[in-house]
Amino acid sequence: MAKITLDNVAHSYIAKPKNQADYALRLIDNIWNDGGAYALLGPSGCGKTTLLNIISGLLTPSKGRVLFDGKDVTGLPTEKRNIAQVFQFPVLYDTMSVYGNLAFPLKNRGFNKIDIEKRVLEVAQILDLTDSLNKKAASLTADAKQKISLGRGLVRSDVAAILFDEPLTVIDPHLKWQLRCKLKQVHEQLKLTLLYVTHDQIEALTFAEQVIVMYEGAIVQIGTPQELFENPSHKFVGYFIGSPGMNFLPCTIEGNQAMVGDIAIKLNNQTAALGAKAIGKIELGIRPLYLEIHNTKVEGSVPTIVKSIEDQGSYKIVTTILGNNNILRARLPEGKTCPSEKAWLKFSENWIRLFSDDMLLKN
Amino acid sequence: MTVVNYSLQDIFGPGQRVFVGLEWFKEVLADKRLHDALGKQLIFSGLVLLIEMPLGILIALMMPKKGLTASISLVIIALPLLIPWNVIGTIWIIFTRPDIGLFGAAINGMGIAFDHTSNPLQAWITLMFMEVWHWTPLVVLLSYAGLRAIPEAYFQAAKIDGASTWATFWYIQLPKMRGVLTIALLLRFMDSFLIYAEPFVLTGGGPGNTTTFLSIYLVKVAVGQFDLGPAAAFSLVYFLIILLFCFIFYQVLKNVGKGEKS
Amino acid sequence: MSITIENISLSVNKEIYLKDISLNFDSGSKNILLGRTLAGKTSLLRILAGLDRPSKGKILVDNKDVTGVSVRKRNISMVYQQFINYPSFTIYDNIASPLKVAGMGKSMIDSRVREAAEMLHLEDMLDRMPGELSGGQQQRCAIARALVKDTNLLLLDEPLVNLDYKLREELQIDLQDIFAQRNAIVVYTSTEPSEALKLGGNIVILDKGRVLQNGITSEVFHKPATIKVAEIFSDPPINLINCHVEGSVFHLGQNVTIPLTGHMKSLASGNYIAGIRSNHLYLNPQNKTDTAIEAILDLAEINGSETFFHVNYAGTKLVVQEVGIYSKKINSKILFYLDPASLFVFSKSGELILSPENFSV
């Protein structure tokens, strides 16, 4: 297990990058702790795969160093870095049994038979693969195959980190739950350094203790799932995390109120104080969860026009229009009646966030 | 149909023919020289495959993966496949001539008496050399395509697992190439089984009958001796043999496909 | 137009892909085929498209048998999982291609292409080549090509599965509007319950080549005919607990008893399986009638706005879904609450006996 240090790492696929835009990965300076579960989250093209390849040793960064437990590994190839990786689709040795697959990394490293067997049985136990040890690996289902891929990393006691590259892409939804659960348990049990790359927020947030949100080659925020949800430091994080994402309304601040056109939304003192000092383009952000939907006007609510309603089974998402074409999406809990034309939305004061020029205003 | 007709009749001249039933078939099947030719054919095909398959895979493994060098080496490898069969024969005749041929003269220069027209073993070696030179590129190209189709992740996984080059070949590349290799094997077997042009041009089936393979013998019977009846029966038997092998290979191929699906 | 399929079966090499499927699709309807991998969704779609012939059964279009008619003669559009575009055509020509084949006039083509491009937010990319676009844009191009033609039947085979999560979310909303604007029969396959719910319309639940249930999407969600349907149509998976009724008492597992009231009032004595969706289990009681259940916490997953507690109640694994973020110690005791009114009751063999009343539409 290892602490991973990224010391001013940057990468460009162009030989002589001229400006920022030529970098697939802009300057990243970060330390990931030993035994932590990290997720790299972002849309395709954000640089997350580039960063993963730099850590696995497939790519040498144009600038900066990569250190494992303080040791510089920047120039080392993959096989010398003691990492394991689970890929997007199952990568197995088709001709071998499950046991053979799990034993393979140990065999190659010259362990003796007894040690190998002990270790393989242990790992098979953790991953619920004991019953299929003698089966041909190729005959198993996709989720079992991904468990074997993971197992090949787990059998090695020297592994510095296990990297996951969108490992649940080919797995059915109901099995995704089981695999995610398994992964979490493995982490609880073994306290390995895990790094998980995905575009799927649910996977990232359920898996990781720390989520690294990337956007256009840069890290826009690192935080716990809760921090990302409650205080997205950049509009992109607000939009990207949460389903649907955060609502944004362009506004001006007048005392204790945010004015969206001529509609006033009340702010609490703290938020108002932040807004008073702010310069640049101001926007109000609020999560759909923190908008209460009412059929009739209530104290402190604003009128909106209902555009559409999506039934999600256990709740509904109501899309409304506020004032001059501002879209607001709100979450309507199960069992509540749904307004058909007009809806009054009440903003939960404590969950209103203000952004100036896309960045969160904070103390 | 004509072939079937001929195989059942004895022809003395235009309009003069007698129905002889399965007579020609009996004669053909009992023909010792045919047995001899068939045996030689099988040994030849077997040996050729034994050399061409591993050699083809080896060359494919050594070829550059991408860039300009990859394209150049592909073109060079494919060259022998692009030459017409009679030109190939002529090239090799000249190449191996003991007096002026580059190869023949060089071997003789080394003190080994080389003349494929008189020494049966040398005739065989020369023919196999030719066949291997001519057709290994096909195996190379197919294997190369098979290798390139293996996702990069497999090689990365093998590196991470600490697999040696040999283990990577044995556990990843070979199993993943199984499909194309079966096709290569099939094509090469059938082609070498039907070999005609090379011995015809180079040795004409000699010295003696040592390089008289099935097809050469067939032509000898049909055109050389003008025994159209037995020749027709012979071609049908030949055809059936090939059909049989094709069927066997087809079954194998189907099972390989199944193995990969599951 | 309406399409009826009658007793369709498909088997290849003794392997059964579809078994005795009879369905009816009406003009303007939106139909989702929901099922896990290998449930037969794509096979059924290909038969509807005329790409494959069923081993048995008939396809009727407006009561006319079209079972043997080739795909070229049917007026359909299809969108695949992979982004399939003509690589050497611009986006404009890609979208225009079905119209050109149909021999439509230039000015008509132009207006149709621009309309379709606008619907899918591709208007600024019409001059580019597919290779220069992102995966999401390429798939939008493929969808635009399917939509530009006025087809009677629009088939989509998990069209969003290879797209980024966020993009998927946006396109799911856009597609709703797009489908609503046309009069075609839409058939859309998916493995994801949440996607099916978002799209609404009608649903066909497929499993191992058989239709388990079909009907209006929200009704099937609230009244799944069997445990299997409930399992396929729940994400996270529905919680199942063995239970039995003795007289007027409902025993949920070993330790919890609930008086028989509400929708369970007339439940006869015997053994049952109770089903409860994870969002109907709460950390804090919602009503006075809520029953407390004590369990051991195996794992807590947080997805930003919700927490999923994986708990172990006397050997049965359950998931509790709670809005908000909570941190609890793993392997500790956890108390959660159940509203008896939200219980599904299935027979031992898996048939639905009772479904919650107040939650139905």
Side-chain angles (χ1 to χ4, degrees), chain C residues 227 230-231 237-245 250-258 264 267 270-278 280-282 291-295 311-320 336-340 342-351 353:
Chain C
I227 287 182
E231 279 179 329
I238 193 165
N239 295 307
L240 298 168
I241 312 170
N242 280 320
C243 56
H244 64 279
V245 173
F250 188 88
H251 295 264
L252 187 70
Q254 291 172 339
N255 313 333
V256 175
T257 55
I258 302 168
M264 300 194 293
L267 206 57
N271 292 323
Y272 300 98
I273 295 169
I276 183 145
R277 290 216 159 89
S278 57
H280 291 144
L281 295 173
Y282 309 95
T291 308
I293 300 176
E294 195 185 272
V311 303
N312 189 329
Y313 162 59
T316 308
K317 291 197 190 274
L318 306 173
V319 180
V320 180
F336 59 90
Y337 295 86
L338 161 92
D339 179 0
S342 63
L343 274 177
F344 291 91
V345 180
F346 298 97
S347 70
K348 270 292 188 190
S349 58
E351 310 289 325
I353 295 173

Side-chain angles (χ1 to χ4, degrees), chain B residues 48-237:
Chain B
V48 160
L49 287 180
L50 270 180
I51 299 171
E52 282 183 6
M53 296 301 290
L55 185 66
I57 295 170
L58 191 72
I59 294 174
L61 283 172
M62 292 189 316
M63 272 168 58
K65 286 183 179 127
K66 50 185 162 200
L68 191 63
T69 46
S71 329
I72 293 172
S73 49
L74 270 177
V75 171
I76 293 172
I77 291 284
L79 267 182
L81 295 173
L82 303 174
I83 303 171
W85 62 271
N86 46 355
V87 177
I88 284 188
T90 318
I91 292 174
W92 276 80
I93 286 177
I94 299 169
F95 189 50
T96 52
R97 268 179 63 166
D99 48 352
I100 58 162
L102 191 62
F103 178 76
I107 297 279
N108 279 315
M110 280 154 66
I112 305 163
F114 179 86
D115 185 1
H116 63 79
T117 52
S118 56
N119 183 326
L121 180 68
Q122 284 175 357
W124 264 70
I125 290 175
T126 311
L127 266 183
M128 296 211 355
F129 225 104
M130 209 169 139
E131 176 76 8
V132 166
W133 169 82
H134 192 182
W135 289 109
T136 304
L138 184 72
V139 181
V140 175
L141 292 183
L142 284 169
S143 308
Y144 188 75
L147 282 173
R148 290 289 77 77
I150 304 174
E152 200 44 47
Y154 280 87
F155 297 105
Q156 213 186 333
K159 272 191 200 164
I160 289 169
D161 290 338
S164 61
T165 313
W166 170 251
T168 308
F169 170 70
W170 191 250
Y171 293 115
I172 293 173
Q173 290 169 315
L174 203 56
K176 290 278 164 208
M177 283 199 296
R178 208 163 42 168
V180 280
L181 287 184
T182 316
I183 293 170
L185 193 73
L186 225 175
L187 285 175
R188 284 312 307 127
F189 176 79
M190 290 198 305
D191 270 349
S192 66
F193 203 74
L194 299 174
I195 188 168
Y196 177 73
E198 284 87 350
F200 176 73
V201 179
L202 194 74
T203 64
N209 276 327
T210 46
T211 58
T212 304
F213 298 121
L214 279 179
S215 54
I216 298 274
Y217 183 57
L218 172 66
V219 174
K220 273 188 183 170
V221 170
V223 185
Q225 304 163 7
F226 214 67
D227 283 339
L228 287 185
F234 184 3
S235 7
L236 285 178
V237 170

